[in-house]
Amino acid sequence: MWWILFGLAVAVIVVVTGLMLYGIRRKVPPTDEDDAPGIRLIVVGGFVVPAIVLTILFGLMVRDLGAEARDLDSAQMSIDVIAHQWWWEVRYEGEIVSANEIHIPTGEQVKMNLTTKDVIHSYWVPQLQAKVDMIPGIVNEISLQADDPGVYRGICGEFCGVQHAKMQFLVVAQDPAEFDAWLQNEAAVPATPEDDPGRRAFLESTCAGCHAVAGTEATARLGPDLTHFGGRRTIGAGALPNTEENLAAWILDAQQAKPGNEMPPSPVTEGELGSIVDYLMGLD
Ligand SMILES: [Cu+2]
């Protein structure tokens, strides 16, 4: 489809530029009698040719869209993606909750159910598919397939507020066996002991009011699920690479790296900060 559109666009530019050059170089000024062929050119070039070309393109488009819809029916697994200002909630099989990183198996159709918690966002992974709007109250379905393993960048494609540019995500395509192992780990409850100082500081500080970690009393969904945060590559939907230093800075004042985001600075002591960083990094 892309090459067809590209070829047609090149043809139009060549013909129009040619006519323009011909018009510029024409020595004899047109007389009234010359108007008849001019009208014919306008009718044929401006109405007849576009009508035929656009009708053919419409047919091709309908055919391609039909193929896409059939793919959706044959998809083996589905992933829900829910946009938030300014991060991404990801749910596998409706219940395994994660954020900002979407893992998929290679070589198979994955059905994506796309919606939003707040304003209109747009789901866009340029290397894998076109933009799809995420609209409040509506679930848009698309299918996604990556044939080669790798990490593909995604970004919100619709201006959605002050941190729109830092609303990024990664699609991690793994071969099916690796993906299954990853998903199994993602579904598991982390085995941090209850008296871990980081776990205690996390639960006793403000964090649990907005975040969830499976297997603890933290079940809030205002911010990203942190159950397996240590295994993620970035902090704050692509705002920072996930390192201990960056995490400490993020927890102290997330407004530095991503001004205007919905996480306030945290009132934690230096000791609490260190143990929370160790705790979250250990959740992989
Ligand atoms: Cu957005």
Side-chain angles (χ1 to χ4, degrees):
M1 202 69 195
W2 194 91
W3 282 109
I4 294 172
L5 288 172
F6 180 72
L8 282 170
V10 169
V12 168
I13 286 182
V14 167
V15 170
V16 171
T17 310
L19 284 175
M20 204 170 71
L21 289 177
Y22 171 75
I24 289 170
R25 285 161 165 250
R26 213 162 93 138
K27 299 248 165 55
V28 193
T31 63
D32 281 353
E33 287 94 80
D34 276 351
D35 276 357
I39 295 268
R40 210 181 310 138
L41 191 63
I42 289 171
V43 170
V44 172
F47 294 99
V48 178
V49 172
I52 294 170
V53 170
L54 291 178
T55 307
I56 293 172
L57 280 180
F58 179 72
L60 290 174
M61 207 87 101
V62 167
R63 188 198 61 182
D64 283 7
L65 284 176
E68 187 109 332
R70 274 194 299 281
D71 286 346
L72 267 185
D73 293 335
S74 65
Q76 309 241 318
M77 78 172 282
S78 72
I79 301 175
D80 306 336
V81 181
I82 303 134
H84 296 250
Q85 281 173 319
W86 292 274
W87 56 280
W88 311 81
E89 178 180 342
V90 187
R91 287 172 177 261
Y92 300 83
E93 290 155 7
E95 49 192 79
I96 305 169
V97 190
S98 185
N100 297 334
E101 210 174 279
I102 302 169
H103 287 240
I104 57 169
T106 50
E108 81 181 57
Q109 294 285 338
V110 179
K111 183 172 161 227
M112 312 292 294
N113 305 310
L114 307 172
T115 189
T116 165
K117 261 271 150 61
D118 37 55
V119 300
I120 296 176
H121 300 265
S122 170
Y123 177 88
W124 190 29
V125 192
Q127 283 171 287
L128 299 179
Q129 30 89 190
K131 284 179 191 169
V132 181
D133 272 3
M134 304 169 96
I135 299 163
I138 292 177
V139 178
N140 278 334
E141 300 175 341
I142 57 148
S143 75
L144 186 74
Q145 177 165 345
D147 291 323
D148 301 316
V151 180
Y152 302 85
R153 275 193 69 212
I155 192 164
C156 181
E158 176 92 26
F159 181 70
C160 59
V162 64
Q163 278 303 346
H164 162 68
K166 284 188 182 151
M167 183 167 167
Q168 307 171 13
F169 61 102
L170 298 171
V171 173
V172 181
Q174 299 166 300
D175 61 59
E178 225 175 284
F179 171 79
D180 286 343
W182 177 86
L183 191 62
Q184 219 164 23
N185 181 65
E186 198 70 11
V189 174
T192 325
E194 264 183 47
D195 60 355
D196 178 90
R199 172 173 161 151
R200 250 188 298 129
F202 180 86
L203 293 174
E204 282 163 14
S205 181
T206 53
C207 327
C210 295
H211 292 285
V213 175
T216 74
E217 300 93 87
T219 54
R221 296 261 171 242
L222 270 166
D225 186 286
L226 300 177
T227 306
H228 291 281
F229 172 75
R232 294 212 274 272
R233 289 160 175 76
T234 71
I235 303 170
L240 296 167
N242 191 0
T243 65
E244 286 187 10
E245 228 167 66
N246 286 341
L247 181 57
W250 174 271
I251 293 172
L252 269 184
D253 188 359
Q255 300 299 316
Q256 293 288 333
K258 195 170 176 178
N261 89 80
E262 301 283 330
M263 175 161 156
S266 308
V268 289
T269 64
E270 199 142 311
E272 285 169 336
L273 181 63
S275 59
I276 291 177
V277 168
D278 289 344
Y279 169 59
L280 291 179
M281 283 305 206
L283 299 176
D284 54 5

